[in-house]
Amino acid sequence: DDRRATGRSAEDICARRLRERGWRILARNWRIRPGELDLIALAGSTLVIVEVKAHHQGLRRGPVHPVLAVGPNKQRRIRRLASAWIAGHGRSIGFREVRFDVVGITFDREGRLAAYATLKTPFEVKRARARAIGLPVSLNASEAKESRRIGEGP
């Protein structure tokens, strides 16, 4: 099927680019009954769950940019799947943070790469939920300062 081939090509391009940046690909197309995670990678001490979206220029269905194709329902599913992967594999990895990225790849009408875009952490993991399921939670400087003030963080 053409959609499957397009998705596979996009994932291949994405995985190659991530490896070129020094990331370690831990899993591709990890699947359990509720769904699939496209790529799971380690970038330094950050575990990155990568959702890859692709489309061809000139198609009239879907959003204008493939990175915009990950809505709230898909975000929830990805978070749940990431939790399941971490529960089964995460202890042996040695990561300190988790990030969710969406990579959008656009192909021209001949199937050549026309555009590549990355949204880093386009959706957030609620801190309380992350702690409840055992995900490491990173805080930016102002959040860390505020959490120290109220006695909850590092």
Side-chain angles (χ1 to χ4, degrees):
D1 140 11
D2 286 344
R3 283 184 47 216
R4 208 174 289 249
T6 297
R8 174 59 92 188
S9 294
E11 289 168 5
D12 290 345
I13 290 167
C14 181
R16 185 180 68 243
R17 286 191 176 202
L18 296 178
R19 274 193 225 92
E20 288 169 356
R21 292 175 53 197
W23 294 24
R24 193 170 108 209
I25 305 298
L26 303 174
R28 283 188 67 171
N29 304 112
W30 182 80
R31 175 179 291 282
I32 57 174
R33 186 175 216 155
E36 175 183 278
L37 293 174
D38 293 335
L39 293 168
I40 303 165
L42 194 62
S45 63
T46 302
L47 182 70
V48 185
I49 310 302
V50 183
E51 176 69 13
V52 180
K53 292 296 189 182
H55 78 175
H56 286 272
Q57 289 176 333
L59 291 182
R60 295 198 184 267
R61 68 180 196 273
V64 175
H65 300 286
V67 293
L68 302 176
V70 180
N73 291 336
K74 182 70 171 182
Q75 292 173 18
R76 278 190 293 280
R77 180 177 296 134
I78 291 169
R79 284 192 297 263
R80 284 188 204 116
L81 290 166
S83 298
W85 188 89
I86 290 167
H89 304 88
R91 299 213 189 281
S92 63
I93 304 300
F95 59 93
R96 296 185 57 181
E97 298 177 355
V98 176
R99 189 175 81 220
F100 296 88
D101 290 0
V102 176
V103 172
I105 296 180
T106 302
F107 295 101
D108 66 15
R109 292 178 187 269
E110 287 76 42
R112 296 178 302 231
L113 179 65
Y116 184 101
T118 301
L119 285 178
K120 291 183 179 182
T121 313
F123 52 95
E124 295 295 321
V125 176
K126 302 245 186 310
R127 296 200 191 293
R129 174 82 177 121
R131 286 188 186 105
I133 60 175
L135 294 177
V137 178
S138 64
L139 301 175
N140 67 34
S142 64
E143 291 170 322
K145 187 168 144 184
E146 178 65 15
S147 68
R148 279 193 295 275
R149 188 177 68 74
I150 60 173
E152 80 172 34

